[in-house]
C-alpha cells in the first residue's frame, strides 16, 4: 500500500526536518533560490489563468503545481520547513541554531529567486519596458497594491490582520507539506498536497514567498509602494504569521495527536545504534576524499 500510517508519518516528517537543518549553506541557497523562482512562475500562471477565464478559482486550482514541483524535487520551501524543523528541535534531533540558520538562509534565497523571476517576467511582458498593454501588468499591480495598501490604511490593526491571514495561509500550506509524506506514490503525493494549497490560494490569504514575487514585480510595474511599505505592512508580518500558523495550527497538533509525549528516548536509542553501525563500517570500509 502507498498510504503511510500516521505513526510512521510523524517519524518521516521529523527525519525530513533533521535533514533540512543539516544541509550545507550552498544547498540551502540553491534550493531556496529555485523554489522562490518556481513559486513566482506558479503565481504568474495562476494570475494568467484567472485573467483569461474570468474565474479566479481556476488560478487557485493551478497554483499548487509550483508546490508539487518543489516538493518532488526535494527543494527548500521555508513555509513548509516552519512545520518540519521545529518538530525535529522538539525531539532533540537538531538544534535551534541549525533551524534558525536554515530559515534565515532559505528566506534570503527565496527573495533572490522570486525577485529575479519577477524582474525577468516584467521584462518579458513589457518588452523591456516599452509596452504596458499586457493584461498581466494591471493584474500584478492591482494585486501588489491589495497586499500592502489596505493594511497600511488600517494602521497597527492592519499588521494584526496580515499576521492572522498569514497564519491561516500556512495552516493550509503546512498541512499540504505534511500530507505530501502520507503517500509513497508520486501521484498520491501530488494529490495529497494539492487540496490544502488550493484552499489557501482561493481564499486570498498571505504567503510570504508568493509575496516576494508579486509585490516587487508590482513595484517594477509602477505600483505606488515603497520598499519600506512592503516590508512593514506585508513581508515581515506575513513571515511571522506563516511561522506561527505552521507551528501552532499544524505541527504541534499533528504531532501530539499521534504521540502522547515528546519521543526523545527512541531517537537516543536509534542514534546509539547508528553510531555503532558507523564505527563498524569505519573499520571495514576505506575512506575516500
Amino acid at each position: 500500500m502507498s498510504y503511510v500510517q500516521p505513526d510512521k508519518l510523524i517519524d518521516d516528517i521529523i527525519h525530513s526536518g533533521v535533514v533540512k537543518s543539516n544541509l550545507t549553506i550552498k544547498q540551502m541557497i540553491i534550493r531556496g533560490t529555485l523554489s522562490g523562482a518556481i513559486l513566482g512562475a506558479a503565481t504568474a500562471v495562476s494570475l494568467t489563468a484567472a485573467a483569461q477565464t474570468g474565474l479566479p478559482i481556476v488560478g487557485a486550482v493551478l497554483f499548487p503545481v509550483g508546490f508539487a514541483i518543489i516538493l518532488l524535487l526535494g527543494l527548500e520551501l521555508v513555509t513548509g520547513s516552519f512545520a518540519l524543523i521545529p518538530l525535529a528541535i522538539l525531539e532533540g534531533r537538531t538544534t535551534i541554531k541549525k533551524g534558525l540558520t536554515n530559515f534565515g538562509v532559505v528566506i534570503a534565497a527565496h527573495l533572490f529567486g522570486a525577485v529575479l523571476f519577477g524582474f525577468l517576467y516584467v521584462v518579458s511582458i513589457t518588452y523591456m519596458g516599452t509596452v504596458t498593454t499586457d493584461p498581466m501588468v494591471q493584474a500584478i499591480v492591482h494585486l501588489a497594491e491589495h497586499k500592502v495598501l489596505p493594511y497600511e490604511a488600517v494602521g497597527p490593526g492592519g499588521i494584526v490582520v496580515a499576521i492572522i491571514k498569514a497564519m491561516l495561509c500556512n495552516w493550509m500550506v503546512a498541512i499540504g507539506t505534511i500530507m505530501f509524506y502520507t503517500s509513497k506514490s508520486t501521484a498520491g503525493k501530488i494529490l495529497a498536497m494539492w487540496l490544502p494549497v488550493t484552499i489557501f490560494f482561493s481564499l486570498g490569504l498571505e504567503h510570504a514567498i508568493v509575496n516576494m514575487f508579486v509585490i516587487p514585480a508590482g513595484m517594477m510595474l509602477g505600483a505606488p509602494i515603497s520598499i519600506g511599505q512592503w516590508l512593514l505592512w506585508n513581508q515581515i508580518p506575513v513571515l511571522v504569521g506563516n511561522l506561527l500558523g505552521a507551528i501552532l495550527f499544524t505541527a504541534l497538533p499533528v504531532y501530539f495527536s499521534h504521540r502522547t509525549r515528546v519521543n526523545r528516548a527512541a531517537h537516543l536509542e536509534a542514534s546509539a545504534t547508528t553510531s555503532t553501525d558507523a564505527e563498524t563500517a569505519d573499520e571495514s570500509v576505506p575512506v575516500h576524499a
Side-chain angles (χ1 to χ4, degrees):
M1 293 179 64
S2 65
Y3 174 65
V4 178
Q5 294 292 334
D7 288 344
K8 181 63 168 60
L9 169 67
I10 299 299
D11 292 333
D12 288 346
I13 62 177
I14 290 174
H15 174 72
S16 181
V18 174
V19 171
K20 288 177 177 296
S21 68
N22 284 292
L23 294 174
T24 66
I25 298 297
K26 182 177 75 172
Q27 288 176 313
M28 294 178 195
I29 292 173
I30 295 173
R31 296 181 186 188
T33 298
L34 288 173
S35 294
I38 290 168
L39 275 196
T43 303
V45 166
S46 67
L47 293 176
T48 301
Q52 290 175 342
T53 63
L55 299 171
I57 189 63
V58 175
V61 171
L62 289 176
F63 174 74
V65 66
F67 278 80
I69 293 170
I70 289 168
L71 293 175
L72 288 173
L73 289 179
L75 303 178
E76 283 299 293
L77 184 63
V78 75
T79 47
S81 297
F82 281 165
L84 306 180
I85 293 178
L87 291 183
I89 294 172
L90 180 67
E91 290 212 337
R93 298 186 59 180
T94 192
T95 64
I96 294 176
K97 180 180 179 181
K98 287 183 177 181
L100 293 177
T101 298
N102 177 279
F103 294 163
V105 173
V106 173
I107 287 171
H110 284 335
L111 179 60
F112 176 73
V115 172
L116 175 61
F117 177 82
F119 171 74
L120 296 175
Y121 183 69
V122 166
V123 168
S124 69
I125 64 174
T126 64
Y127 287 81
M128 295 292 291
T130 62
V131 177
T132 59
T133 56
D134 191 304
M136 289 307 299
V137 172
Q138 287 305 313
I140 293 175
V141 168
H142 175 74
L143 184 56
E145 292 174 344
H146 181 71
K147 287 183 171 293
V148 175
L149 301 182
Y151 300 131
E152 183 181 29
V154 176
I159 292 179
V160 175
V161 173
I163 291 174
I164 291 173
K165 291 179 72 173
M167 291 176 68
L168 294 174
C169 166
N170 223 36
W171 188 357
M172 295 297 101
V173 171
I175 286 178
T177 301
I178 289 176
M179 287 185 66
F180 183 82
Y181 294 88
T182 62
S183 175
K184 294 180 180 179
S185 72
T186 301
K189 287 178 177 293
I190 293 174
L191 179 60
M193 58 73 55
W194 203 282
L195 303 177
V197 175
T198 298
I199 291 173
F200 110 71
F201 201 84
S202 65
L203 293 178
L205 302 176
E206 296 288 353
H207 188 270
I209 318 310
V210 169
N211 294 348
M212 288 178 182
F213 159 72
V214 170
I215 300 175
M219 293 164 62
M220 295 177 206
L221 291 168
I225 301 168
S226 68
I227 293 177
Q229 287 175 303
W230 163 37
L231 295 177
L232 176 61
W233 298 105
N234 183 284
Q235 200 63 59
I236 295 174
V238 169
L239 275 170
V240 171
N242 286 166
L243 174 62
L244 293 175
I247 294 174
L248 299 179
F249 292 165
T250 303
L252 293 179
V254 170
Y255 180 88
F256 284 109
S257 68
H258 296 291
R259 287 192 177 171
T260 57
R261 59 185 177 82
V262 177
N263 188 18
R264 290 196 177 96
H267 164 60
L268 294 175
E269 181 179 348
S271 296
T273 302
T274 302
S275 298
T276 301
D277 292 343
E279 290 172 2
T280 301
D282 288 341
E283 294 175 358
S284 57
V285 179
V287 177
H288 300 283

